[in-house]
Amino acid sequence: MNLENLKKVLEEGGFVDRRILERVEKEIALAGGTLSKALVQQGHVSPEAMATVLGFAFNLRIIDLRKVKPSPEALLLIPKNIAEKYNILPFSIERGILNLVVEEPVDEKTLNLLRAESKMPVQQAISFHGESDIKMKIQEIYE
């Protein structure tokens, strides 16, 4: 994930001021985690605002899992244990590409694993309501 681009969009968009960004960055340097998750967990940014920022910063679609349902064909390509482990939800197949809903962009290593598992190219989209919606949908749909 391009952290500098994310910080620029957060600051220039008025979502978070520089002091908060610097403080949270120091915290995650010590404790681990990601900037986007830490800002949401600490209440500096709502999950919906963070989804908007991530979508803009990384040129990704935003999907509201409360309003649309994943396709059964997409769900067959990624087993529940992998969806839970990486907190991703296979959503649709469009033009031979598996679309995955994520809380934040995932790294290339994870994308390669998901490509190998699904045996197709994958593309990411951001969950509008964040991590909790993905977890809820995984439990709801894979049962």
Side-chain angles (χ1 to χ4, degrees), residues 73-79 82 88 90 92-93 96-100 110-123:
E73 298 82 17
L75 292 167
L76 291 173
L77 296 174
I78 302 290
I82 292 177
I88 57 100
S92 65
I93 301 170
I97 298 172
L98 175 61
N99 292 294
L100 305 168
T110 303
L111 288 175
N112 286 335
L113 179 139
L114 295 167
R115 288 180 190 111
E117 183 66 38
S118 66
K119 298 178 179 53
M120 38 185 352
V122 298
Q123 180 173 293

Side-chain angles (χ1 to χ4, degrees), residues 22-113:
E22 290 170 354
R23 182 177 55 78
V24 172
E25 278 188 293
K26 287 177 185 173
E27 291 171 6
I28 61 174
L30 295 172
T34 64
L35 181 62
S36 58
K37 279 187 180 184
L39 289 169
V40 170
Q41 288 170 346
Q42 294 179 20
H44 298 296
V45 181
S46 72
E48 296 80 8
M50 185 56 73
T52 302
V53 168
L54 290 168
F56 182 78
F58 298 98
N59 196 29
L60 297 172
R61 286 191 310 176
I62 299 169
I63 303 289
D64 187 342
L65 292 172
R66 296 177 187 179
K67 295 184 179 179
V68 292
K69 288 188 171 201
S71 76
E73 298 82 17
L75 292 167
L76 291 173
L77 296 174
I78 302 290
K80 181 180 181 182
N81 66 317
I82 292 177
E84 288 176 324
K85 179 177 181 178
Y86 296 101
N87 201 34
I88 57 100
L89 185 69
F91 184 74
S92 65
I93 301 170
E94 297 172 15
R95 295 180 292 252
I97 298 172
L98 175 61
N99 292 294
L100 305 168
V101 179
V102 298
E103 176 187 9
E104 58 186 10
V106 298
D107 61 39
E108 196 61 34
K109 181 180 176 184
T110 303
L111 288 175
N112 286 335
L113 179 139

